[in-house]
Amino acid sequence: MLLPPANWLPQAPLEHLHLDWLTSAGIEVAILRLDQIDPLISGNKWFKLVEHLKAADRAGAEGIISLGGAHSNHLHALAAAGKRLGFKTVGLLRGHAQETPTVQDLQAFGMQLHWLGYGGYRARNEPGFWEPWLAQYPQLYAVPEGGGGLSGALGCAAIKEQAQAQLATLGWSDYHGWWLACGTGTTLAGLVLAEAGVHPVYGALAVPEDHGVAPQVESIMQSAGLATAGYELIDASRGGFAKVDPVLLEFIEQTEQASGIPLEPLYTGKALLALKQQVEAGRFAPGTRLIFIHTGGLQGRRGFSASR
């Protein structure tokens, strides 16, 4: 069994986000703290993994093989889950061998690593990519980069339930939409599936538009047999994935001081700054209530800070 005990369900607190630029615009935002669900298996990554683990169990697999980079939140959560729940994990990494805090954790958690170089990693979406790896590890179940695909999205649909169950504690009876960072679009797709058009989902792109998030979301919707309405993608990449600038870093520092909520510059920090820009541009009417998802990823801050 790869799955945790049935009574192990990580819970994310939903709390008011008090910031001056929201108050002055008359906008209410509640932040769903996925960064607090678990010390290691943090953020949206657990939700993206859970349906993959169920599929691996059904297939009789002994563990998971997946892909990511040297700061990958997905591989970090996967390796931590493997160590905690006792299943084997193998990571196929982008680029050449390097030491980062994340890589050190992967090794400490018992994940076996293979570095693919950059050309080898680019081949991950080509037909036949998985064949030699599954021949080498026939007892493992292959999970896409970032825990993506329909299975990853279906796991993320549970995020809506966690938020809705806590609305009354905020004094809310309803809300007007979701706002979150997008890397692959899997979490956004899960929320779109769960909402089925009732509330819009706004995705702040942490990657440039040419990284294919929109086609990936559409592919998941088609796999689920649903239309692709109900969401909007907004460019928040600030020039590229992992691109940061003084404005972003200053915004993160000020927001952390004002709210006490830790952010990172690759996903959640960019998403919240993009929301501020949209609010100041008059995108949302006074009285709008939004749920902002803190997708975690704080472990990746360590290597980022060390490289600056």
Side-chain angles (χ1 to χ4, degrees):
M1 289 289 291
L2 278 65
L3 290 166
N7 62 355
W8 189 83
L9 179 63
Q11 297 294 320
L14 182 70
E15 55 195 48
H16 286 290
L17 182 61
H18 298 291
L19 294 169
D20 289 345
W21 52 269
L22 291 170
T23 302
S24 61
I27 308 296
E28 292 185 70
V29 171
I31 183 168
L32 187 64
R33 299 290 303 276
L34 298 189
D35 60 306
Q36 293 191 340
I37 64 172
D38 187 88
L40 293 177
I41 313 171
S42 176
N44 59 338
K45 302 306 178 185
W46 167 253
F47 294 92
K48 293 168 76 172
L49 276 174
V50 65
E51 292 298 324
H52 288 296
L53 294 181
K54 290 179 183 178
D57 261 349
R58 291 192 295 268
E62 298 175 8
I64 300 291
I65 181 171
S66 193
L67 309 102
H71 304 282
S72 171
N73 295 317
H74 163 63
L75 288 185
H76 194 271
L78 174 60
K83 180 175 176 61
R84 178 174 296 175
L85 304 175
F87 62 84
K88 184 174 182 178
T89 58
V90 174
L92 308 180
L93 280 83
R94 179 177 59 247
H96 304 291
Q98 58 178 296
E99 284 290 320
T100 69
T102 302
V103 169
Q104 291 170 355
D105 279 353
L106 300 183
Q107 293 170 327
F109 296 155
M111 175 176 274
Q112 186 168 347
L113 306 183
H114 295 275
W115 295 88
L116 305 187
Y118 294 100
Y121 197 83
R122 281 194 293 271
R124 67 194 180 280
N125 296 319
E126 295 178 2
F129 170 82
W130 284 108
E131 291 178 10
W133 292 109
L134 294 179
Q136 182 174 348
Y137 296 105
Q139 76 279 26
L140 300 188
Y141 183 87
V143 170
E145 180 182 35
L150 179 58
S151 292
L154 291 173
C156 290
I159 293 173
K160 178 191 173 187
E161 300 172 10
Q162 293 213 1
Q164 283 199 308
Q166 301 178 73
L167 289 179
T169 65
L170 302 179
W172 290 12
S173 59
D174 201 1
Y175 54 97
H176 300 101
W178 297 83
W179 192 281
L180 72 155
C182 287
T184 64
T186 305
T187 305
L188 175 139
L191 288 170
V192 174
L193 289 175
E195 285 289 357
V198 176
H199 300 99
V201 184
Y202 301 98
L205 287 169
V207 298
E209 293 180 5
D210 63 5
H211 277 222
V213 173
Q216 290 182 68
V217 173
E218 291 170 10
S219 175
I220 291 172
M221 294 295 110
Q222 291 168 3
S223 297
L226 297 177
T228 57
Y231 73 94
E232 180 180 342
L233 299 177
I234 296 99
D235 182 17
S237 67
R238 306 188 70 81
F241 178 63
K243 295 284 188 181
V244 300
D245 54 75
V247 172
L248 173 64
L249 295 177
E250 183 180 4
F251 169 76
I252 289 173
E253 182 178 359
Q254 292 175 345
T255 302
E256 289 180 338
Q257 290 177 354
S259 67
I261 296 172
L263 302 172
E264 46 73 39
L266 305 188
Y267 295 99
T268 307
K270 285 186 174 182
L272 192 57
L273 178 54
L275 176 58
K276 179 177 185 285
Q277 292 168 338
Q278 293 288 314
V279 166
E280 291 177 342
R283 171 68 180 269
F284 299 106
T288 298
R289 289 173 169 173
L290 299 173
I291 299 176
F292 180 91
I293 299 180
H294 192 313
T295 50
L298 297 175
Q299 69 84 25
R301 275 205 318 190
R302 301 169 301 170
F304 180 84
S305 298
S307 67
R308 303 309 293 171

